[in-house]
Amino acid sequence: MLRTVVVLSCLLSSVAWAAPSSFSAAKKNLAKLYQNELPMESLYCGCRFTDSAKGKKVKLVPALASCGYQSRVEKKKGKYYQRAHRIEWEHVMPAYDFGRQLQCWQQGGRKNCRKDKTFKAMEADMHNLYPAIGEVNGDRSNYRLTDWNGRADQYGQCQMVVDFKRKQAQPPKRARGQVARSYLYMAQRYQIRLSKAQRKLYSSWHTMYPATPSECQRHRLVSQKQGQINPFTAQQCS
């Protein structure tokens, strides 16, 4: 596995690449990758999605019936009900977590970091961006990911659980390996502090839920596009 990581790193260093310059650019890059070369399924719920824009501005729409998804919000005119009918790009490690350790954030929050090169690089890092149903993305917010054997009954058959009182979220088993590798990657690449409990949990998920062929394919494409690998994923993809 180590040889695979080294070989891939060498290949990336020998080809032309351009990491996305902004969060907006990263979203456009990812949308193209999913439309052309990756399974169009949301991270947490496994909902299939399509581009309904018909050649205009990208508009990714989930097929909720494909994963048995049900909005937890009953009022159809509500903001979060509307978000249930679109795909958004989720920062697995939230912007709050990787931004708050920067001086720009401490002096004015996310808006104050818009021109900070380090923040922009972290915000646009495609190894940390995954498609998610907008309602789930909004509900998850910047809550920490953990596992407490919570009952998954908020979103129909989708196994995501959000505890609003404790400000924590329990991802489905299908997503735990990917989110763990995203956290570990972000922490290593950008020197972001993780608590001892966080690192232990994500290391455990990394081992318990190894990369699938589709995750390996995504990693290869993102690495080529962005110019660097996620070593935690690369070590599991031969």
Side-chain angles (χ1 to χ4, degrees):
M1 291 300 182
L2 179 59
R3 182 177 180 274
T4 301
V5 174
V6 173
V7 170
L8 183 52
S9 297
C10 291
L11 287 174
L12 291 176
S13 66
S14 65
V15 298
W17 58 271
S21 59
S22 66
F23 180 30
S24 177
K27 291 188 288 185
K28 290 179 181 179
N29 286 344
L30 284 167
K32 290 180 180 179
L33 289 182
Y34 276 85
Q35 288 169 322
N36 297 325
E37 301 186 73
L38 292 171
M40 294 179 73
E41 293 183 351
S42 63
L43 172 63
Y44 299 120
C45 302
C47 274
R48 294 193 296 272
F49 60 88
T50 58
D51 180 8
S52 66
K54 298 181 180 180
K56 299 179 182 179
K57 185 177 180 180
V58 174
K59 183 179 180 182
L60 302 178
V61 178
L64 301 183
S66 69
C67 63
Y69 186 90
Q70 295 179 358
S71 172
R72 70 174 182 83
V73 181
E74 295 181 0
K75 294 182 179 180
K76 295 187 177 181
K77 294 183 180 180
K79 173 182 177 182
Y80 283 98
Y81 182 88
Q82 295 175 18
R83 291 181 74 175
H85 293 270
R86 69 175 185 244
I87 290 293
E88 299 176 355
W89 294 100
E90 154 117 335
H91 285 102
V92 172
M93 175 183 280
Y96 174 79
D97 282 355
F98 59 71
R100 62 178 173 162
Q101 298 183 25
L102 298 176
Q103 187 174 8
C104 62
W105 190 288
Q106 295 166 8
Q107 294 178 344
R110 186 169 185 168
K111 289 184 178 180
N112 196 48
C113 286
R114 290 301 182 193
K115 295 182 179 181
D116 185 274
K117 292 182 179 180
T118 300
F119 179 80
K120 288 180 69 176
M122 292 190 289
E123 188 182 39
D125 197 310
M126 294 187 291
H127 285 302
N128 188 48
L129 287 168
Y130 280 85
I133 293 177
E135 181 181 28
V136 174
N137 183 29
D139 286 353
R140 187 266 164 120
S141 184
N142 58 16
Y143 298 167
R144 69 186 183 279
L145 297 179
T146 186
D147 178 18
W148 67 93
N149 292 320
R151 183 179 177 183
D153 59 2
Q154 294 168 297
Y155 308 102
Q157 295 178 31
C158 175
Q159 297 297 298
M160 184 72 167
V161 184
V162 179
D163 188 327
F164 297 98
K165 291 184 178 180
R166 296 184 179 181
K167 295 185 177 182
Q168 60 186 19
Q170 177 182 283
K173 291 181 180 179
R174 70 182 307 277
R176 290 179 186 177
Q178 294 179 81
V179 300
R181 286 181 277 280
S182 289
Y183 263 93
L184 294 170
Y185 160 80
M186 291 292 287
Q188 176 176 288
R189 179 162 180 79
Y190 300 105
Q191 299 300 300
I192 298 169
R193 295 185 296 275
L194 295 178
S195 70
K196 190 174 182 179
Q198 281 181 306
R199 190 170 292 279
K200 181 179 179 181
L201 177 65
Y202 299 143
S203 295
S204 175
W205 283 356
H206 170 49
T207 301
M208 290 175 63
Y209 305 101
T212 62
S214 62
E215 182 183 348
C216 290
Q217 170 72 345
R218 180 198 137 98
H219 175 262
R220 182 182 66 81
L221 294 170
V222 168
S223 297
Q224 290 175 347
K225 193 72 175 178
Q226 188 163 288
Q228 85 272 341
I229 65 170
N230 176 339
F232 299 94
T233 306
Q235 72 179 10
Q236 293 186 348
C237 298
S238 58

